[in-house]
Amino acid sequence: MKNSLKILIHSIFWIVFVSYNISFTYSERAYPLANYRLIHLIINTIWAITIFYFFYFHSIKYFEKGKLTKYLLFSIISSIIITFLFFPIHKLINPSFDFYNLRYLIPPMVGSFIIAQCGSLVKGFENWVNDIKHKAELENQNLKNELDLLKSQINPHFLFNTINNIDTLIRKAPDEASNSLIALSDMLRYMIYETNNQVVPLDKELEYIQNFIRLQKHRYSKPDFLKIDLPGDCQGLQIAPLLLLPFIENAFKFVATDVQYPAIELTISCNENLLMFSCKNYFNSFTTSTTHTGGVGLENVKRRLELIYKDRYTLNISKNNGIFHVELNLELA
């Protein structure tokens, strides 16, 4: 808790207490002798400060450890002892003060007990706020660590697949392989230097996806093998980096080639802050019965969606008639 807030809470308490103490001390019923009222007011304030901060700094630990019976007994005994420590001071100042009159003895004990609980209550509230703040910071740090781990799992998966594709191009078309290496270099630069942030501009992410698809298209000779529809302009929107890539990677990884073209259909569109993603691909059911839906990449992206976009996305994954279909609607900032 900030020190300014602590000072405010303590100030409010003592303003209320002193106001009540003044009204009580200067009443005829409480202290009929007017000459001693100011002295009694000062003594009572010191009395209250003593027991308040004694419980504020020391006795709260019994309550927080769950030792409620010990805390209650300690509160009662402390209230009685502090009352007897301060009562003789009133007697010294005002000899006519009736030390043994229960009408004067019981209320200070009760008052001491109440003020002691106020000290514990204020300290407990401060500790509660600090615990919430600490847990929130710890949760944020754990979330960041988990997201970093998930991204580190995704990046090598993409890298290995792309290197294998370029290796194939080196033998078939060296010039194309050289261009692909340049494109890969640009993509790696993006992955290393720009994906460390929690979000990146959607335009850059789409450019990265286009480069990825451009590299993958070298594997297929027929131009109608792939159908792509990407938005031309998504200015101002941001997205978690490399979030969509696992879906597209899996489409290329598990696509069936001996099917009606297009074998892969990819559509991404924007409507204000809503991103709509759709990816379809034919697959061979006898070779991808479980892998296509349970791979590490897809599990990672599901986890990232839940961590970053909880309650702001809908994800549907289906397999029907040899077609694997991913639909994702995502609310972006």
Side-chain angles (χ1 to χ4, degrees), residues 66-83:
K67 301 177 180 179
L68 301 182
T69 301
K70 187 173 182 178
Y71 173 80
L72 180 61
L73 291 174
F74 187 81
S75 298
I76 295 173
I77 294 173
S78 298
S79 301
I80 293 173
I81 292 175
I82 292 178
T83 299

Side-chain angles (χ1 to χ4, degrees), residues 68 95 104 107 124 135 164 182 232 256 264 279:
L68 301 182
Y104 292 106
K135 289 178 181 178
N164 288 335
I182 294 173
I264 299 176
C279 185

Side-chain angles (χ1 to χ4, degrees), residues 72-311:
L72 180 61
L73 291 174
F74 187 81
S75 298
I76 295 173
I77 294 173
S78 298
S79 301
I80 293 173
I81 292 175
I82 292 178
T83 299
F84 275 102
L85 287 176
F86 276 88
F87 233 62
I89 300 177
H90 288 281
K91 184 69 174 178
L92 290 175
I93 296 172
N94 180 11
S96 63
F97 193 83
D98 192 354
F99 188 88
Y100 300 101
N101 191 335
L102 291 179
R103 187 170 70 89
Y104 292 106
L105 193 61
I106 298 299
M109 292 182 182
V110 175
S112 297
F113 181 84
I114 294 174
I115 293 173
Q117 306 318 304
C118 289
S120 296
L121 181 63
V122 170
K123 185 64 174 179
F125 175 75
E126 292 175 1
N127 291 345
W128 177 68
V129 172
N130 290 333
D131 287 342
I132 291 178
K133 183 179 179 181
H134 176 71
K135 289 178 181 178
E137 292 175 349
L138 183 61
E139 184 177 349
N140 288 337
Q141 185 61 41
N142 289 338
L143 175 61
K144 182 179 182 302
N145 293 339
E146 185 170 358
L147 289 175
D148 290 341
L149 176 61
L150 292 175
K151 286 200 296 184
S152 69
Q153 292 174 332
I154 293 172
N155 294 350
H157 180 69
F158 158 75
L159 181 60
F160 296 148
N161 284 348
T162 305
I163 290 175
N164 288 335
N165 295 339
I166 294 177
D167 179 63
T168 302
L169 277 177
I170 290 175
R171 293 188 295 270
K172 294 181 178 180
D175 292 339
E176 287 295 330
S178 176
N179 293 333
S180 297
L181 282 174
I182 294 173
L184 178 60
S185 175
D186 292 337
M187 297 172 70
L188 290 177
R189 187 178 297 109
Y190 172 79
M191 292 172 63
I192 294 172
Y193 295 110
E194 298 192 43
T195 61
N196 292 327
N197 299 321
Q198 292 185 355
V199 292
V200 294
L202 180 57
D203 286 341
K204 289 189 175 182
E205 187 73 6
L206 293 176
E207 181 180 350
Y208 176 84
I209 291 174
Q210 288 176 324
N211 286 331
F212 172 82
I213 294 173
R214 192 172 294 119
L215 290 174
Q216 295 290 345
K217 286 173 67 175
H218 292 304
R219 297 168 54 190
Y220 311 102
S221 58
K222 296 184 179 181
D224 58 346
F225 181 84
L226 177 65
K227 182 180 179 180
I228 305 174
D229 184 10
L230 299 182
D233 184 15
C234 287
Q235 293 289 339
L237 295 179
Q238 294 183 316
I239 189 173
L242 307 178
L243 186 67
L244 305 177
L245 184 64
F247 298 127
I248 303 172
E249 275 190 313
N250 273 25
F252 282 99
K253 182 177 180 180
F254 298 107
V255 65
T257 57
D258 54 343
V259 294
Q260 179 182 354
Y261 289 171
I264 299 176
E265 288 188 57
L266 174 63
T267 303
I268 302 177
S269 59
C270 301
N271 183 9
E272 294 183 351
N273 68 329
L274 181 64
L275 174 71
M276 292 164 285
F277 173 90
S278 174
C279 185
K280 297 180 183 178
N281 70 277
Y282 285 97
F283 69 96
N284 295 320
S285 59
F286 60 87
T287 59
T288 58
S289 57
T290 58
T291 307
H292 205 341
T293 56
V296 174
L298 294 188
E299 291 304 316
N300 281 346
V301 75
K302 289 177 184 178
R303 181 59 178 155
R304 292 185 70 197
L305 283 169
E306 189 62 22
L307 288 171
I308 306 173
Y309 296 103
K310 186 176 178 62
D311 301 326

Side-chain angles (χ1 to χ4, degrees), residues 1-31:
M1 179 182 288
K2 293 182 179 179
N3 290 332
S4 58
L5 183 57
K6 286 185 179 182
I7 293 173
L8 177 62
I9 293 173
H10 286 250
S11 298
I12 292 174
F13 175 81
W14 289 114
I15 289 173
V16 173
F17 173 81
V18 172
S19 299
Y20 170 78
N21 198 15
I22 291 174
S23 63
F24 178 77
T25 303
Y26 281 82
S27 65
E28 291 291 335
R29 182 178 61 84
Y31 296 102

